[in-house]
Amino acid sequence: MKNIVLFGPPGAGKGTQAEVLKTKYNLVHISTGDVFRFNIKNATELGVLAKSYIDKGHLVPDEVTIKMLNAEVEKNPEANGFIFDGFPRTSAQAEALDTLLESKSTNVSGMVALEVDDEILVERLLERGKTSGRADDADESVIRNRIKVYYAETAILKDYYKQDDKFFGIDGVGSIDEITDRISSVMNSL
Ligand code: AMP
């Protein structure tokens, strides 16, 4: 099984690349942000809870997020592997993912991190906000808060995966095809 953690700050292009890579490598793509947004749209109990955090650019609590991710993985018993997009975002989530994959006799193959300059991220997200309908993309202060949360709470995960030589930084600036090629050369080596 190939299990990839697609990493990077908001606006780095994780969702775009995941869409291409899931077909190319026959993997199941799980975006925790997409699952939350689906639940918000359908006004589920999870959606109502998640919305209160997401709209402010805060992280949804670990307990809720981990339970949801486990359920998404369990829905795909035949998967050839997974692309985790937007998960893990905290050490507790990274540990929970290891435990879950271990129970399936597999592990994280590698973390692929898209690296993009902050000001380019803000520009990209404001542009996306014009059409995405996402409240968290429409407001520059929420965008900057999400980037801040990434550095404060999420970026430490680089070290978590570096310990096992599983961290791969990728230049996230360029055309979609160029970036897919860069990621593919890492994925082919895993
Ligand atoms: P994303 O689509 O990955 O940018 O996620 C949008 C928002 O959903 C984030 O700003 C968080 O509020 C929430 N979210 C998504 N994934 C996670 C996660 N792994 N842990 C906590 N909150 C998350």
Side-chain angles (χ1 to χ4, degrees):
M1 254 177 131
K2 215 171 248 197
N3 300 303
I4 304 299
V5 172
L6 197 54
F7 197 67
K14 301 186 292 290
T16 305
Q17 290 300 327
E19 281 304 310
V20 180
L21 296 166
K22 74 171 185 189
T23 310
K24 185 166 177 184
Y25 292 95
N26 186 27
L27 302 172
V28 173
H29 171 210
I30 301 179
S31 155
T32 42
D34 283 351
V35 178
F36 285 136
R37 282 185 287 277
F38 177 82
N39 278 275
I40 291 171
K41 210 166 125 201
N42 291 287
T44 66
E45 201 181 322
L46 172 65
V48 172
L49 176 76
K51 188 174 178 358
S52 60
Y53 295 92
I54 292 177
D55 282 354
K56 295 190 200 93
H58 297 165
L59 293 184
V60 177
D62 281 337
E63 199 192 326
V64 176
T65 306
I66 289 168
K67 199 169 145 207
M68 179 272 265
L69 188 278
N70 284 4
E72 290 299 314
V73 169
E74 296 301 347
K75 280 184 197 165
N76 293 282
E78 306 297 330
N80 187 34
F82 292 89
I83 299 176
F84 297 103
D85 162 8
F87 186 96
R89 267 175 153 101
T90 64
S91 303
Q93 292 181 15
E95 283 160 17
L97 182 60
D98 282 347
T99 306
L100 175 69
L101 294 178
E102 244 168 59
S103 77
K104 305 194 173 306
S105 306
T106 183
N107 60 9
V108 171
S109 314
M111 166 186 265
V112 173
L114 295 174
E115 294 166 342
V116 178
D117 203 63
D118 287 359
E119 291 311 310
I120 298 179
L121 295 173
V122 174
E123 241 173 69
R124 282 187 186 177
L125 289 169
L126 282 170
E127 196 53 40
R128 184 170 84 181
K130 290 180 189 165
T131 52
S132 70
R134 284 180 55 169
D136 61 347
D137 284 344
D139 180 325
E140 184 166 339
S141 67
V142 173
I143 289 174
R144 290 197 183 272
N145 194 49
R146 287 161 62 205
I147 295 172
K148 203 172 99 197
V149 167
Y150 172 78
Y151 288 112
E153 301 184 40
T154 303
I156 50 155
L157 291 181
K158 279 187 188 182
D159 294 331
Y160 186 88
Y161 291 100
K162 267 184 187 166
Q163 281 170 14
D164 295 333
D165 289 328
K166 287 184 178 174
F167 175 83
F168 302 91
I170 304 272
D171 178 2
V173 181
S175 71
I176 293 177
D177 286 349
E178 279 166 350
I179 297 165
T180 305
D181 285 348
R182 290 175 202 151
I183 299 175
S184 298
S185 61
V186 169
M187 284 182 63
N188 294 340
S189 72
L190 297 175

